[in-house]
Amino acid sequence: MKKTICLTSAFFLLILSAAPLWAQAFPSLEAAPAAYEYAQRIGKNNVRWLDLAEVSLWASAVNAGQGAEAKAASYLDRIKAAAEELSASSLPQNPKERGEAVLTFLHKKFLKSYSEYQTRVDEIFISGRYNCVSSAVLYMVFCLSAGLEAEGVMTRDHAFVLVNAGAETIDVETTNPYGFDPGNRKEFHDAFGKATGFAYVPAQNYRNRTVINAAELVSLILSNRIAVLERGNRFAEAVPLAINRAVLLSGTGKTGAGNKAEFFEDPQKDLMSRLVNLGAYYVRNGKEDDAIAWAGYAGGRFPDPQRWQELIKTAANNKLVKLIRSKKISDARSALTALKEKLGSENYAELDVMVLEAEAGDKVNNIRNPGDADAALAFLAQNWDRLPSGRREEMRTAAILAEADRYGKAKNWLGGMHYLSGATEKYGTNAKLDNAMRIMRQNRVSELHNEFAALFNRRDYNGAKTFIQKALQEFPEEKQLLQDLVLVEKALQQ
């Protein structure tokens, strides 16, 4: 089965100046003037074949660059000439036979090779390549020109045509020259008209099929073009096509309702997906400022508070994370303050906590001098209820340990012990603080023992005894110091 290109509504994770300063860099949010006219011309019943041809060429090449209108006019002339040629070819009176003759004519005249992504009608006249959408639209044009009643049909991943032949409706698989009424026997002739056998086109099991009108069929050209552009990361180019598609479908008054909702998302919702996809593309490429400016620019014209807010929050988050990782904490705070009016209150509060945590971490991680730890602990106390519960205890412990480490580097073990004792009395203790106190104590005991050993080794036994007795006032139960006292007393007895 030949497939159309399925579209997704992906989404899918800042600027300080006003959006209008960036507006010129963004795609236009204005629909092509012709879109409104064409919406009226084919968004109703009894569509004229010439209108359908003109609109399909416009949808195929709109905004395609200089000379697009002239090229479309030349292709329209070719369609007119082919329609006259078809009319003069003694078409069968029987509607069923006539519909098959139109398909044969189309493949002999224009359709040369199938190409899955070739959804544009104008390209058929350039290379002869087509897919189910472009061939279905062109076949419908010629059916209407031949006086037949035809409608588009689509499934989730395919498009074809339904011809009304009196009381009978016939599927037409336009991608195949033998696709008229798939599954029926076809007599096959060689170039000289001699019957050589039969060709078979398998009947298709089209599930969840739905009939679509002319505007909806043409809109598939735009949908597939949009899909191709987004697959190539050309999101800015896809936006004008989505706007034109929404306007074109606005004339039908049916799209997005009933069983069509499965295949035709509400045009405005689909347009929003294309708009937000461009913003998401900016975010993925590290252009958070552009993403937020785009949200302001496009959101003013196409409001959707929830989706635009999601984009702004994601872009703001990424920008702040970059600044925080670069240790530009004050810049992160300034950036968030500038964004406050653009962010919803909940999103601002969430990002505020992230920056606040970074600010607290920065103060804790930069304890170097006297007073730094006190300032960090005061900051933590001031913002205690706003900080994440799982982090605030951890940061307070880190601040206390950093100050203790400052004492340790100065080999001021006694001062470190006194500091830790005061901190644990004020804030409570935990395993890390207990371990730090144990190490401080061990170092202080070693320091006292070493000073005793120096006196003892100089045979100043009286001085050594006096010193160790004083040391035991600090640590009365310390085994090492008690052993030192025994040692010096034995030395004095000799």
Side-chain angles (χ1 to χ4, degrees):
M1 179 189 295
K2 308 300 188 296
K3 295 182 178 181
T4 58
I5 301 167
C6 296
L7 296 180
T8 59
S9 299
F11 168 53
F12 41 162
L13 310 35
L14 181 62
I15 186 171
L16 306 184
S17 56
L21 297 177
W22 290 83
Q24 293 182 350
F26 294 140
S28 172
L29 299 177
E30 299 295 329
Y36 298 96
E37 176 189 349
Y38 291 145
Q40 297 302 314
R41 284 167 61 178
I42 69 168
K44 56 188 178 182
N45 296 326
N46 301 318
V47 175
R48 298 192 324 155
W49 70 269
L50 199 55
D51 287 338
L52 180 58
E54 185 176 342
V55 177
S56 69
L57 289 169
W58 167 81
S60 299
V62 64
N63 297 339
Q66 284 189 333
E69 291 185 7
K71 290 179 181 178
S74 69
Y75 299 141
L76 186 60
D77 287 341
R78 292 185 63 178
I79 292 175
K80 291 178 183 177
E84 292 176 3
E85 180 183 345
L86 183 63
S87 177
S89 64
S90 300
L91 286 170
Q93 291 299 313
N94 180 282
K96 184 173 182 179
E97 294 176 358
R98 181 175 295 200
E100 186 168 11
V102 171
L103 182 64
T104 300
F105 173 83
L106 189 62
H107 275 273
K108 285 183 177 180
K109 186 77 174 179
F110 298 116
L111 304 180
K112 303 305 179 185
S113 62
Y114 176 84
S115 178
E116 182 177 0
Y117 300 114
Q118 204 311 85
T119 195
R120 290 169 49 167
V121 171
D122 62 334
E123 180 64 27
I124 292 175
F125 301 106
I126 298 171
S127 65
R129 294 183 298 113
Y130 61 91
N131 73 354
C132 62
V133 173
S134 52
S135 61
V137 172
L138 194 57
Y139 176 73
M140 190 169 173
V141 167
F142 284 109
C143 278
L144 296 179
S145 77
L148 292 168
E149 293 182 9
E151 299 174 289
V153 184
M154 72 174 297
T155 67
R156 184 172 296 280
D157 57 4
H158 190 50
F160 53 101
V161 175
L162 186 69
V163 171
N164 297 315
E168 186 178 6
T169 57
I170 303 164
D171 288 347
V172 184
E173 173 55 77
T174 57
T175 59
N176 194 305
Y178 306 107
F180 193 87
D181 198 7
N184 285 347
R185 189 172 68 174
K186 310 291 181 182
E187 189 176 57
F188 185 77
H189 295 78
D190 65 14
F192 300 98
K194 180 181 178 180
T196 61
F198 297 96
Y200 294 87
V201 177
Q204 303 290 343
N205 184 18
Y206 297 123
R207 294 182 178 179
N208 300 322
R209 59 189 282 163
T210 187
V211 175
I212 55 179
N213 60 36
E216 292 166 336
L217 182 61
V218 171
S219 78
L220 297 181
I221 296 174
L222 293 167
S223 295
N224 284 0
R225 290 183 62 197
I226 289 167
V228 170
L229 289 170
E230 290 194 338
R231 281 163 58 95
N233 291 324
R234 296 162 64 184
F235 294 92
E237 295 175 58
V239 166
L241 297 187
I243 294 173
N244 286 321
R245 179 178 179 273
V247 171
L248 181 66
L249 288 171
S250 67
T252 66
K254 299 177 181 179
T255 301
N259 65 346
K260 290 183 180 180
E262 182 178 2
F263 308 116
F264 278 94
E265 183 182 9
D266 182 313
Q268 293 303 317
K269 291 183 179 179
D270 183 68
L271 171 57
M272 277 304 306
S273 294
R274 312 284 73 79
L275 296 172
V276 173
N277 278 359
L278 175 56
Y281 173 73
Y282 288 139
V283 173
R284 288 197 303 273
N285 285 273
K287 298 180 178 179
E288 295 86 4
D289 290 352
D290 286 356
I292 292 179
W294 170 245
Y297 173 58
R301 179 66 181 275
F302 298 100
D304 188 330
Q306 181 178 351
R307 298 191 72 179
W308 287 124
Q309 188 60 206
E310 288 175 355
L311 175 64
I312 293 171
K313 179 191 173 184
T314 300
N317 176 81
N318 287 12
K319 182 178 183 67
L320 296 174
V321 167
K322 284 182 181 179
L323 291 170
I324 291 169
R325 287 178 177 174
S326 299
K327 301 188 184 305
K328 299 178 179 179
I329 311 301
S330 61
D331 289 348
R333 173 57 68 185
S334 297
L336 180 59
T337 300
L339 278 168
K340 187 172 184 178
E341 297 303 318
K342 293 181 173 65
L343 287 161
S345 58
E346 291 186 5
N347 290 337
Y348 176 82
E350 183 178 334
L351 295 176
D352 177 56
V353 169
M354 181 178 74
V355 175
L356 181 64
E357 185 178 349
E359 290 171 326
D362 185 58
K363 291 182 181 298
V364 169
N365 293 330
N366 286 284
I367 294 175
R368 303 285 187 275
N369 302 305
D372 288 349
D374 290 340
L377 290 168
F379 185 87
L380 290 171
Q382 180 182 357
N383 298 286
W384 192 255
D385 292 336
R386 295 170 58 206
L387 288 165
S389 59
R391 286 279 292 144
R392 55 197 185 192
E393 291 281 1
E394 178 185 345
M395 287 191 287
R396 185 164 66 185
T397 296
I400 295 170
L401 291 175
E403 179 68 356
D405 185 61
R406 199 175 66 81
Y407 280 98
K409 288 179 179 178
K411 299 188 183 305
N412 184 1
W413 313 118
L414 183 59
M417 289 177 62
H418 288 161
Y419 174 77
L420 285 171
S421 179
T424 55
E425 182 178 347
K426 182 176 183 179
Y427 300 115
T429 190
N430 55 49
K432 290 183 177 180
L433 295 178
D434 287 344
N435 186 59
M437 178 64 86
R438 181 182 58 80
I439 294 173
M440 284 284 184
R441 178 188 174 92
Q442 288 176 347
N443 288 338
R444 174 59 176 165
V445 169
S446 296
E447 181 180 55
L448 293 171
H449 170 73
N450 290 340
E451 291 187 35
F452 163 80
L455 293 168
F456 185 88
N457 291 335
R458 291 200 301 269
R459 299 182 181 276
D460 182 2
Y461 301 131
N462 289 322
K465 181 178 180 179
T466 302
F467 177 84
I468 204 63
Q469 287 175 332
K470 185 177 180 181
L472 282 167
Q473 292 176 7
E474 285 187 44
F475 305 104
E477 305 298 327
E478 180 58 45
K479 185 177 180 180
Q480 177 65 64
L481 300 182
L482 289 171
Q483 290 175 348
D484 290 342
L485 179 60
V486 172
L487 180 64
V488 73
E489 287 179 339
K490 285 183 179 181
L492 287 169
Q493 293 173 1
Q494 293 178 357

mmCIF file of all heavy atoms in Angstrom, residues 397 401 404 417 420 424 429-443:
data_model
loop_
_atom_site.group_PDB
_atom_site.id
_atom_site.type_symbol
_atom_site.label_atom_id
_atom_site.label_comp_id
_atom_site.label_asym_id
_atom_site.label_seq_id
_atom_site.Cartn_x
_atom_site.Cartn_y
_atom_site.Cartn_z
ATOM 1 N N THR A 397 24.582 21.027 56.377
ATOM 2 C CA THR A 397 25.683 20.166 56.825
ATOM 3 C C THR A 397 26.952 20.484 56.054
ATOM 4 O O THR A 397 28.051 20.549 56.632
ATOM 5 C CB THR A 397 25.308 18.686 56.630
ATOM 6 O OG1 THR A 397 24.198 18.372 57.480
ATOM 7 C CG2 THR A 397 26.473 17.774 56.953
ATOM 8 N N LEU A 401 30.526 21.641 57.616
ATOM 9 C CA LEU A 401 31.746 20.869 57.348
ATOM 10 C C LEU A 401 32.799 21.719 56.654
ATOM 11 O O LEU A 401 34.003 21.549 56.887
ATOM 12 C CB LEU A 401 31.413 19.647 56.491
ATOM 13 C CG LEU A 401 30.580 18.560 57.178
ATOM 14 C CD1 LEU A 401 30.226 17.456 56.182
ATOM 15 C CD2 LEU A 401 31.330 17.978 58.372
ATOM 16 N N ALA A 404 34.411 23.705 59.302
ATOM 17 C CA ALA A 404 35.277 22.815 60.082
ATOM 18 C C ALA A 404 36.554 22.501 59.312
ATOM 19 O O ALA A 404 37.646 22.430 59.884
ATOM 20 C CB ALA A 404 34.523 21.528 60.422
ATOM 21 N N MET A 417 36.861 21.635 66.936
ATOM 22 C CA MET A 417 35.974 20.897 67.831
ATOM 23 C C MET A 417 34.964 21.823 68.494
ATOM 24 O O MET A 417 33.774 21.496 68.619
ATOM 25 C CB MET A 417 36.796 20.171 68.886
ATOM 26 C CG MET A 417 37.579 18.988 68.351
ATOM 27 S SD MET A 417 38.590 18.243 69.650
ATOM 28 C CE MET A 417 37.332 17.722 70.797
ATOM 29 N N LEU A 420 32.314 22.772 65.846
ATOM 30 C CA LEU A 420 31.380 21.680 65.588
ATOM 31 C C LEU A 420 30.443 21.456 66.763
ATOM 32 O O LEU A 420 29.249 21.181 66.585
ATOM 33 C CB LEU A 420 32.149 20.389 65.273
ATOM 34 C CG LEU A 420 32.783 20.300 63.879
ATOM 35 C CD1 LEU A 420 33.689 19.075 63.780
ATOM 36 C CD2 LEU A 420 31.698 20.254 62.806
ATOM 37 N N THR A 424 26.415 21.689 66.289
ATOM 38 C CA THR A 424 25.511 20.574 66.548
ATOM 39 C C THR A 424 24.535 20.892 67.674
ATOM 40 O O THR A 424 23.406 20.408 67.681
ATOM 41 C CB THR A 424 26.309 19.296 66.888
ATOM 42 O OG1 THR A 424 27.187 19.559 67.983
ATOM 43 C CG2 THR A 424 27.112 18.827 65.689
ATOM 44 N N THR A 429 22.679 17.067 65.178
ATOM 45 C CA THR A 429 23.802 16.360 64.573
ATOM 46 C C THR A 429 23.309 15.312 63.583
ATOM 47 O O THR A 429 22.107 15.067 63.452
ATOM 48 C CB THR A 429 24.669 15.689 65.654
ATOM 49 O OG1 THR A 429 25.875 15.207 65.070
ATOM 50 C CG2 THR A 429 23.924 14.516 66.313
ATOM 51 N N ASN A 430 24.258 14.718 62.862
ATOM 52 C CA ASN A 430 23.979 13.624 61.938
ATOM 53 C C ASN A 430 25.264 12.839 61.749
ATOM 54 O O ASN A 430 26.308 13.170 62.346
ATOM 55 C CB ASN A 430 23.434 14.153 60.596
ATOM 56 C CG ASN A 430 24.347 15.173 59.940
ATOM 57 O OD1 ASN A 430 25.554 14.954 59.817
ATOM 58 N ND2 ASN A 430 23.770 16.293 59.517
ATOM 59 N N ALA A 431 25.226 11.811 60.948
ATOM 60 C CA ALA A 431 26.379 10.920 60.805
ATOM 61 C C ALA A 431 27.611 11.662 60.295
ATOM 62 O O ALA A 431 28.736 11.418 60.749
ATOM 63 C CB ALA A 431 26.029 9.764 59.874
ATOM 64 N N LYS A 432 27.424 12.583 59.347
ATOM 65 C CA LYS A 432 28.569 13.298 58.785
ATOM 66 C C LYS A 432 29.214 14.218 59.813
ATOM 67 O O LYS A 432 30.451 14.307 59.886
ATOM 68 C CB LYS A 432 28.137 14.093 57.553
ATOM 69 C CG LYS A 432 27.786 13.224 56.352
ATOM 70 C CD LYS A 432 27.437 14.077 55.139
ATOM 71 C CE LYS A 432 27.154 13.198 53.929
ATOM 72 N NZ LYS A 432 26.815 13.999 52.728
ATOM 73 N N LEU A 433 28.393 14.892 60.582
ATOM 74 C CA LEU A 433 28.937 15.791 61.597
ATOM 75 C C LEU A 433 29.589 14.993 62.731
ATOM 76 O O LEU A 433 30.639 15.410 63.264
ATOM 77 C CB LEU A 433 27.835 16.693 62.146
ATOM 78 C CG LEU A 433 27.225 17.686 61.139
ATOM 79 C CD1 LEU A 433 26.098 18.482 61.793
ATOM 80 C CD2 LEU A 433 28.291 18.623 60.586
ATOM 81 N N ASP A 434 28.974 13.872 63.089
ATOM 82 C CA ASP A 434 29.588 13.014 64.110
ATOM 83 C C ASP A 434 30.953 12.522 63.655
ATOM 84 O O ASP A 434 31.917 12.482 64.441
ATOM 85 C CB ASP A 434 28.686 11.812 64.402
ATOM 86 C CG ASP A 434 27.446 12.203 65.198
ATOM 87 O OD1 ASP A 434 27.437 13.309 65.781
ATOM 88 O OD2 ASP A 434 26.495 11.400 65.237
ATOM 89 N N ASN A 435 31.049 12.152 62.388
ATOM 90 C CA ASN A 435 32.329 11.665 61.860
ATOM 91 C C ASN A 435 33.373 12.773 61.842
ATOM 92 O O ASN A 435 34.551 12.554 62.148
ATOM 93 C CB ASN A 435 32.129 11.107 60.454
ATOM 94 C CG ASN A 435 33.371 10.450 59.905
ATOM 95 O OD1 ASN A 435 33.905 9.503 60.487
ATOM 96 N ND2 ASN A 435 33.853 10.963 58.780
ATOM 97 N N ALA A 436 32.923 13.988 61.465
ATOM 98 C CA ALA A 436 33.857 15.120 61.467
ATOM 99 C C ALA A 436 34.369 15.401 62.875
ATOM 100 O O ALA A 436 35.560 15.683 63.078
ATOM 101 C CB ALA A 436 33.161 16.357 60.895
ATOM 102 N N MET A 437 33.492 15.333 63.872
ATOM 103 C CA MET A 437 33.914 15.539 65.250
ATOM 104 C C MET A 437 34.901 14.446 65.693
ATOM 105 O O MET A 437 35.894 14.719 66.378
ATOM 106 C CB MET A 437 32.694 15.547 66.166
ATOM 107 C CG MET A 437 33.035 15.717 67.646
ATOM 108 S SD MET A 437 33.822 17.327 68.014
ATOM 109 C CE MET A 437 32.355 18.341 68.244
ATOM 110 N N ARG A 438 34.647 13.207 65.312
ATOM 111 C CA ARG A 438 35.547 12.105 65.654
ATOM 112 C C ARG A 438 36.944 12.346 65.078
ATOM 113 O O ARG A 438 37.956 12.153 65.758
ATOM 114 C CB ARG A 438 34.974 10.799 65.115
ATOM 115 C CG ARG A 438 35.818 9.559 65.435
ATOM 116 C CD ARG A 438 35.204 8.313 64.838
ATOM 117 N NE ARG A 438 35.054 8.431 63.393
ATOM 118 C CZ ARG A 438 36.060 8.234 62.527
ATOM 119 N NH1 ARG A 438 37.279 7.937 62.979
ATOM 120 N NH2 ARG A 438 35.835 8.339 61.243
ATOM 121 N N ILE A 439 37.002 12.795 63.827
ATOM 122 C CA ILE A 439 38.293 13.050 63.193
ATOM 123 C C ILE A 439 39.012 14.211 63.884
ATOM 124 O O ILE A 439 40.227 14.166 64.119
ATOM 125 C CB ILE A 439 38.102 13.335 61.689
ATOM 126 C CG1 ILE A 439 37.592 12.064 60.981
ATOM 127 C CG2 ILE A 439 39.388 13.833 61.050
ATOM 128 C CD1 ILE A 439 37.204 12.279 59.539
ATOM 129 N N MET A 440 38.243 15.285 64.173
ATOM 130 C CA MET A 440 38.837 16.410 64.895
ATOM 131 C C MET A 440 39.419 15.955 66.236
ATOM 132 O O MET A 440 40.527 16.346 66.633
ATOM 133 C CB MET A 440 37.775 17.489 65.139
ATOM 134 C CG MET A 440 37.425 18.321 63.937
ATOM 135 S SD MET A 440 38.715 19.535 63.575
ATOM 136 C CE MET A 440 37.954 20.409 62.208
ATOM 137 N N ARG A 441 38.681 15.135 66.957
ATOM 138 C CA ARG A 441 39.129 14.648 68.256
ATOM 139 C C ARG A 441 40.404 13.820 68.103
ATOM 140 O O ARG A 441 41.369 13.996 68.862
ATOM 141 C CB ARG A 441 38.026 13.809 68.895
ATOM 142 C CG ARG A 441 38.409 13.195 70.244
ATOM 143 C CD ARG A 441 37.331 12.220 70.712
ATOM 144 N NE ARG A 441 37.759 11.539 71.923
ATOM 145 C CZ ARG A 441 37.507 11.945 73.157
ATOM 146 N NH1 ARG A 441 36.826 13.063 73.358
ATOM 147 N NH2 ARG A 441 37.924 11.261 74.209
ATOM 148 N N GLN A 442 40.403 12.931 67.101
ATOM 149 C CA GLN A 442 41.583 12.097 66.873
ATOM 150 C C GLN A 442 42.811 12.955 66.572
ATOM 151 O O GLN A 442 43.916 12.708 67.075
ATOM 152 C CB GLN A 442 41.328 11.122 65.733
ATOM 153 C CG GLN A 442 40.366 9.998 66.062
ATOM 154 C CD GLN A 442 40.082 9.110 64.872
ATOM 155 O OE1 GLN A 442 40.400 9.456 63.730
ATOM 156 N NE2 GLN A 442 39.469 7.960 65.131
ATOM 157 N N ASN A 443 42.598 13.976 65.746
ATOM 158 C CA ASN A 443 43.710 14.858 65.402
ATOM 159 C C ASN A 443 44.191 15.667 66.608
ATOM 160 O O ASN A 443 45.400 15.903 66.784
ATOM 161 C CB ASN A 443 43.308 15.790 64.264
ATOM 162 C CG ASN A 443 43.191 15.062 62.934
ATOM 163 O OD1 ASN A 443 43.782 13.995 62.757
ATOM 164 N ND2 ASN A 443 42.441 15.630 62.009
#
